[in-house]
DNA sequence: GATTACACGTGAGCC
DNA sequence: TGGCTCACGTGTAAT
């Protein structure tokens, strides 16, 4: 019995008969798959109960399976210090912990990046952008003049990027701007817009009021299509 | 010998004497640590060579260590289907692969987010922002009028966000803008700026030219402090 | 009762 | 040499 054991001895560290790494191998077809050890029944030939001989081969398979799994584990972990069974498991644990930690780190980084970029990633989205530097509208007046011309007068307090904000809103609405004037004195920014509007553009115009106004808790008093005067109050 | 084995039988699935999860446990102080099985030497009392009795206890420790590791592994993996040794390892492998894949996914996501946000994260940085929607300056003229007033006329082709870009540049330079006019006809955007400048602001003014000009490969022809006319050519 | 999974002791190979 | 790690066969408890 011992003589024929020797040939597949020490396979753990060296040969490891089975080289399949593909982890998916649940049905184990290896009954007597390996080398040529003791055959089906009574490997010794004598002094063994026939009932236990089945147990022997079954146990062999079990061991083999476990070793196979362990080997597969070893192939997944990049840095194995020692080839011990115990060390393999230990290194795997360490590596897994490392992965888990890194996952948390990466997720945190993503949250960080996302929260930072959502404010900026859509430069046309006024409502998100404005949270940083809100436009404080003091007065707004819109007048429909003649055919397709609209004059919009906006007075707001002058802060950082107020002009940029306003430009963003205007451009995002696809208004057809003829001419714009920004004038600032003391701490106020006065804006005068001459717009060329078509019928399809009037929703944009309403949207403009909406955007600016909702962000400052003001409200539209009068916004009909023909003549639109918005006196914005606190 | 078998009789005293029974008491620490089947600990794998049920009790697992040692409950430490803290993976860091390389020096193993457990010589006879568990219950009260066979003491130091000759657990049987007879028919065992004294040389092998050391091997027995050493082997016991080895097995114990391995089981401990396996148990620790089990505690790290969240979803263990079966409590088999082999299944534990298999589930660990699957989980590790999952972690590795997710790590790659997250890293890709981070790269994606980063590459997207670096273009936008610094709204004051004109040179990065302009790469998306460059300002195509056709003509620029700066005139110093009287004491502290400067008139800047910029003509550029009208594209998406051109006005926003211009405003960004202007605001980033901390110029003291008295009044600005943007007028667009056909595909051109004409800008007229009235600035109030102090001595300390003249570098900003030069910077304005620099920014706009370098981004369009134009150059300043004349930029003295008293009178500054910049005719910008192709 | 057959199967499965386990811990055990043992002998052997390898530093 | 002694101290390890390993594979093996076996007995056993639970399914």
């Amino acid at each position: 019995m011992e003589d024929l054991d020797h040939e597949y001895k020490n396979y753990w560290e060296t040969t490891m008969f089975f080289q399949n790494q593909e982890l998916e191998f649940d049905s184990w077809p290896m009954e007597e798959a390996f080398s040529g050890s003791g055959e089906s029944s009574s490997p010794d030939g004598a002094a063994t109960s026939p009932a236990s001989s089945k147990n022997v081969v079954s146990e062999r398979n079990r061991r083999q399976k476990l070793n196979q799994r362990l080997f597969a584990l070893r192939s997944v972990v990049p840095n194995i210090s020692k080839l011990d069974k115990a060390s393999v498991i230990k290194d795997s644990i360490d590596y897994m912990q490392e992965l888990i930690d890194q996952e948390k780190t990466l997720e945190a980084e993503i949250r960080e990046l996302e929260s930072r970029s959502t404010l900026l990633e859509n430069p046309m989205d006024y409502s998100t952008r404005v949270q940083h530097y809100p436009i404080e509208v003091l007065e707004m007046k819109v007048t429909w003049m003649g055919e397709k011309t609209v004059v919009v007068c906006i007075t707001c307090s002058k802060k950082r990027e107020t002009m940029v904000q306003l430009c963003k809103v205007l451009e995002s609405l696809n208004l057809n701007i003829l001419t714009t004037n920004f004038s600032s004195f003391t701490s106020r920014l006065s804006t005068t817009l001459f717009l060329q509007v078509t019928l399809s553009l009037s929703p944009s115009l309403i949207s403009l009021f909406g955007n600016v106004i909702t962000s400052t808790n003001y409200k539209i008093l009068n916004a009909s299509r023909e003549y639109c005067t918005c006196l914005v109050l606190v």
Side-chain angles (χ1 to χ4, degrees), chain A:
Chain A
M1 186 199 281
E2 298 162 0
D3 302 327
L4 34 85
D5 288 355
H6 298 166
E7 49 180 314
Y8 50 90
K9 200 70 176 234
N10 207 29
Y11 70 87
W12 167 249
E13 301 223 357
T14 57
T15 56
M16 195 60 195
F17 37 59
F18 245 40
Q19 297 288 22
N20 74 321
Q21 324 275 60
E22 56 266 19
L23 321 185
E24 303 307 331
F25 216 94
D26 260 343
S27 62
W28 287 78
M30 37 165 67
E31 203 60 13
E32 295 288 340
F34 51 97
S35 5
S37 73
E39 264 56 47
S40 56
S41 65
S42 67
D44 217 27
T48 22
S49 71
S52 77
S53 80
K54 282 235 177 177
N55 195 5
V56 169
V57 60
S58 157
E59 176 64 13
R60 261 205 285 255
N61 285 356
R62 175 184 160 272
R63 274 196 302 264
Q64 198 165 119
K65 181 164 146 188
L66 211 151
N67 278 326
Q68 166 111 11
R69 292 282 164 85
L70 224 43
F71 188 75
L73 184 65
R74 204 174 69 176
S75 75
V76 181
V77 179
N79 296 325
I80 301 285
S81 55
K82 283 170 65 186
L83 296 176
D84 262 336
K85 281 181 175 176
S87 299
V88 166
I89 301 185
K90 185 184 186 310
D91 289 346
S92 303
I93 294 174
D94 291 347
Y95 181 57
M96 265 181 46
Q97 273 295 355
E98 215 172 289
L99 282 178
I100 292 174
D101 290 351
Q102 198 175 1
E103 189 198 2
K104 286 182 185 169
T105 307
L106 289 182
E107 274 179 351
E109 199 173 334
I110 282 186
R111 267 197 304 277
E112 163 73 17
L113 273 175
E114 261 177 357
S115 68
R116 211 196 309 170
S117 70
T118 42
L119 287 171
L120 302 163
E121 69 181 348
N122 192 355
M124 289 311 187
D125 190 349
Y126 170 74
S127 60
T128 58
R129 192 92 180 71
V130 82
Q131 305 218 339
H132 260 299
Y133 306 111
I135 301 180
E136 202 179 314
V137 178
L138 301 175
E139 194 181 329
M140 184 160 117
K141 185 171 162 185
V142 180
T143 313
W144 234 279
M145 314 189 73
E147 281 270 324
K148 306 170 174 178
T149 307
V150 173
V151 180
V152 181
C153 298
I154 302 173
T155 304
C156 50
S157 60
K158 189 174 187 306
K159 296 181 182 176
R160 256 171 71 94
E161 294 213 331
T162 303
M163 208 164 72
V164 180
Q165 302 290 351
L166 273 174
C167 288
K168 271 187 188 298
V169 177
L170 297 176
E171 296 222 39
S172 73
L173 293 173
N174 271 329
L175 298 169
N176 194 0
I177 303 176
L178 296 177
T179 180
T180 315
N181 188 78
F182 297 98
S183 295
S184 65
F185 31 86
T186 63
S187 62
R188 294 200 176 189
L189 178 66
S190 166
T191 308
T192 307
L193 296 161
F194 283 77
L195 308 176
Q196 181 118 27
V197 281
T198 61
L199 285 178
S200 65
L201 278 183
S202 54
S204 292
L205 209 56
I206 301 293
S207 172
L208 166 64
F209 308 152
N211 268 333
V212 177
I213 286 161
T214 53
S215 71
T216 52
N217 285 332
Y218 285 30
K219 59 172 183 173
I220 303 179
L221 292 184
N222 179 3
S224 71
R225 204 184 79 69
E226 290 75 21
Y227 186 81
C228 175
T229 304
C230 301
L231 183 63
V232 205
L233 304 172
V234 184

